[in-house]
Amino acid sequence: MATTERFFERLRIERGASFSLATFDPGDTCGVEISKKEAHTRLAEEWLTRLTQLQERLWAQDRWAILVILQGMDAAGKDGVIKHVMSGVNPQGCQVTSFKVPSAEELDHDFLWRTTRALPERGRIGIFNRSYYEEVLVVRVHPTALARQKLPPRLVGPDIWRQRFEDIAAFERYLTRNGTVVLKFFLHLSRQEQRRRFLERLETPEKRWKFALGDVVERRHWNDYMSAYEDMIRHTASAHAPWFVVPADHKWFARLVVAATLVTALESLELEFPVVDEAQGAELEEARRQLLAE
Ligand code: AMP
Ligand code: MG
């Protein structure tokens, strides 16, 4: 699978206006027909090796930052993507932040506050396991979550979701203009596959801890969530901060897509190790002479 083989190109959404989730199949593998085992080998030997090399340059160059946003329903595979795709990167150059139900302190601030504090520095890859997009997903599906946000009542009207989309899009534009590459992944799981994974969690002792009773309650709102996701992608997909609709029913495929997308995005930055100029070169040569003379 060479880089030129952009099997995942169709999954990249840059213009949301006519986006329809129904045209994406969670079970799709975009024509990649390999076994799970082969996928595992390719991920490790091909994509992760390149990711490791690219990340070293990103870190050495210290100019760009990469923000990876992972969204998806419970059991969509966000944790697995982080565990497998990031296994190839140096922990020093990578940070993962998971966003849960907001704390009292977080609710005392504007909705972008907690995520802004967790943005990656230059040279680093930052991963958001859920993000400010929850503000137009779970908060939209559950009006009680919005009520907890302590917003002045006159600011809360029917326009609030459109306003949040606008603010998010403006924020991402700002980030990209300042050297943060924003890559957004929606792990698109089917309702049947979620059921299967939940049952597996309940039936496997080592997986039971992952199951929360609330998860089956959220599942009842499936259609509301799908509408919210679709509207979110329609309003926040852009050329500078695209959404990737990742078919997530096959874990191996979702991981391959995220790894390949990340590698492709890093390659497009044409990262190079900083070059040593002549004066610095002379200084380094002098240091070398001194060490040899010891
Ligand atoms: P998990 O990812 O399984 O640990 O669950 C985290 C939970 O926090 C999910 O149910 C999210 O919907 C919820 N959550 C994340 N961000 C927000 C938010 N801004 N408002 C309300 N709930 C949130
Ligand atoms: Mg959960």
Side-chain angles (χ1 to χ4, degrees):
M1 224 177 288
T3 355
T4 46
E5 202 187 316
R6 302 269 173 92
F7 62 90
F8 50 86
E9 204 61 10
R10 202 180 77 75
L11 309 173
R12 180 189 181 98
I13 315 295
E14 294 194 347
R15 288 181 29 189
S18 59
F19 175 75
S20 160
L21 196 53
T23 59
F24 289 82
D25 172 9
D28 197 6
T29 57
C30 298
V32 180
E33 282 168 22
I34 50 177
S35 67
K36 255 193 229 180
K37 201 164 160 253
E38 268 177 291
H40 202 80
T41 313
R42 278 198 195 175
L43 182 67
E45 289 176 6
E46 191 166 336
W47 297 105
L48 298 190
T49 312
R50 272 152 72 188
L51 187 56
T52 308
Q53 291 163 351
L54 286 158
Q55 187 216 4
E56 250 177 71
R57 291 175 193 209
L58 180 80
W59 171 260
Q61 202 191 38
D62 201 17
R63 292 289 183 273
W64 296 95
I66 312 292
L67 175 62
V68 173
I69 290 181
L70 294 173
Q71 287 290 160
M73 297 296 281
D74 284 308
K78 301 185 288 295
D79 295 329
V81 162
I82 296 169
K83 180 170 154 185
H84 288 89
V85 176
M86 303 321 287
S87 64
V89 307
N90 179 346
Q92 250 199 122
C94 176
Q95 64 208 48
V96 182
T97 316
S98 298
F99 295 98
K100 311 275 182 187
V101 177
S103 67
E105 187 190 23
E106 288 166 350
L107 289 173
D108 252 336
H109 292 269
D110 61 276
F111 81 84
L112 287 173
W113 182 74
R114 64 173 181 167
T115 38
T116 303
R117 298 195 331 156
L119 288 170
E121 305 157 35
R122 297 189 196 282
R124 284 171 154 247
I125 299 175
I127 298 174
F128 283 180
N129 183 353
R130 304 187 189 268
S131 65
Y132 42 80
Y133 280 106
E134 292 291 328
E135 297 292 336
V136 293
L137 295 167
V138 64
V139 180
R140 190 172 187 183
V141 171
H142 295 285
T144 48
L146 184 63
R148 276 197 296 271
Q149 296 199 343
K150 298 176 68 180
L151 287 159
R154 71 161 76 151
L155 300 183
V156 185
D159 262 358
I160 191 160
W161 311 115
R162 189 187 50 76
Q163 290 169 353
R164 286 193 170 187
F165 290 142
E166 259 177 41
D167 292 338
I168 288 172
F171 178 65
E172 290 178 348
R173 175 173 291 277
Y174 161 80
L175 288 180
T176 56
R177 283 177 173 164
N178 283 275
T180 297
V181 176
V182 183
L183 301 168
K184 308 180 292 199
F185 298 94
F186 167 43
L187 301 188
H188 184 26
L189 185 73
S190 69
R191 194 157 189 257
Q192 308 84 276
E193 178 61 16
Q194 189 197 50
R195 176 173 174 273
R196 203 194 60 74
R197 289 184 189 175
F198 278 173
L199 284 171
E200 190 184 338
R201 283 182 182 182
L202 287 168
E203 289 160 8
T204 317
E206 307 81 65
K207 290 188 176 176
R208 280 193 102 147
W209 64 272
K210 272 205 150 189
F211 189 85
L213 279 178
D215 292 351
V216 272
V217 179
E218 282 317 282
R219 191 177 149 74
R220 292 191 204 130
H221 300 283
W222 190 271
N223 294 339
D224 294 339
Y225 271 107
M226 290 309 114
S227 306
Y229 269 109
E230 187 173 65
D231 209 33
M232 169 194 87
I233 293 171
R234 279 190 187 150
H235 288 90
T236 58
S238 63
H240 55 269
W243 270 106
F244 295 86
V245 179
V246 183
D249 278 6
H250 300 287
K251 289 179 180 173
W252 64 265
F253 186 66
R255 292 168 191 169
L256 214 54
V257 171
V258 176
T261 307
L262 198 52
V263 165
T264 308
L266 283 164
E267 279 178 349
S268 75
L269 299 177
E270 299 177 346
L271 303 165
E272 293 299 341
F273 285 106
V275 274
V276 175
D277 67 26
E278 227 172 276
Q280 287 166 323
E283 276 170 19
L284 295 179
E285 188 47 40
E286 174 56 24
R288 198 176 84 92
R289 261 191 343 97
Q290 284 180 24
L291 285 168
L292 286 171
E294 266 178 25

